[in-house]
Amino acid sequence: MLTHIDEKNRPKMVDVSPKDDTLRIATASGVITMSKEAFSAIKENTGKKGPVLQTAVVAAIMGSKKTSELIPMCHPLNILGVDCDIEELADKFAFKLYVSVKIKGKTGVEMEALTGVSVGLLTIYDMIKAIDKSMVISDITLESKSGGKSGKYMRSK
């Protein structure tokens, strides 16, 4: 039986009440690739909408916190912390965003990390699209997770 379908074939949210609270951390990443002009505008803070990377970090945090409002079967979580890091990939005119989310709870935080990355990268796109509409968002992926019944996961390089 599928976990999110009841005996009458209707969608349901899984009951996590029998699970133990554990410390759970998930890290996700994604890349946005753009033109040299757009990359330079972001690095030099010359975009007309303001500081792109700083705004993307705030958006990633907000996206993580709003995941249960966007993904139908996600449980609302009491997020303890969200950490973001942005790596410049100058040779590709790209930025790689990392989002790590931490909770102590009964269900995982992978979706919150993945949503945070997605919203952060979409924010970069929105703020610099006047310069480059051909930007590509790619490689949104779970890097690692810990806690819960399934234990640790680390993406192999």
Side-chain angles (χ1 to χ4, degrees):
M1 178 139 188
L2 298 173
T3 59
H4 289 75
I5 301 290
D6 70 12
E7 62 281 346
K8 295 180 182 172
N9 205 32
R10 293 181 302 211
K12 72 172 185 175
M13 180 181 263
V14 172
D15 178 4
V16 296
S17 62
K19 292 183 172 185
D20 292 328
D21 281 351
T22 61
L23 182 64
R24 297 161 184 264
I25 302 169
T27 300
S29 68
V31 175
I32 185 165
T33 307
M34 60 199 66
S35 67
K36 181 179 181 180
E37 183 184 8
F39 185 80
S40 295
I42 292 171
K43 280 194 56 150
E44 296 164 12
N45 274 327
T46 57
K48 294 183 193 281
K49 290 188 175 183
V52 175
L53 298 180
Q54 294 89 328
T55 305
V57 166
V58 172
I61 293 167
M62 291 175 67
S64 296
K65 291 166 48 176
K66 296 285 191 179
T67 300
S68 67
E69 296 175 30
L70 300 169
I71 309 296
M73 300 303 172
C74 284
H75 292 80
L77 300 178
N78 184 23
I79 293 176
L80 301 175
V82 180
D83 291 315
C84 301
D85 189 35
I86 300 177
E87 178 183 353
E88 287 183 18
L89 306 174
D91 58 324
K92 299 177 182 177
F93 305 121
F95 294 95
K96 186 169 187 176
L97 173 62
Y98 295 88
V99 176
S100 293
V101 182
K102 181 194 295 187
I103 68 161
K104 186 165 187 179
K106 298 176 181 291
T107 188
V109 291
E110 298 93 76
M111 292 307 300
E112 286 71 14
L114 289 161
T115 300
V117 166
S118 300
V119 172
L121 294 175
L122 286 168
T123 298
I124 293 172
Y125 186 97
D126 176 57
M127 292 188 72
I128 213 73
K129 68 184 181 241
I131 296 172
D132 182 9
K133 289 178 180 42
S134 69
M135 289 177 280
V136 175
I137 294 171
S138 63
D139 302 320
I140 296 172
T141 187
L142 181 66
E143 296 287 344
S144 63
K145 61 89 52 193
S146 62
K149 188 170 77 172
S150 65
K152 290 187 178 185
Y153 165 81
M154 180 72 71
R155 178 168 295 286
S156 56
K157 299 292 176 188

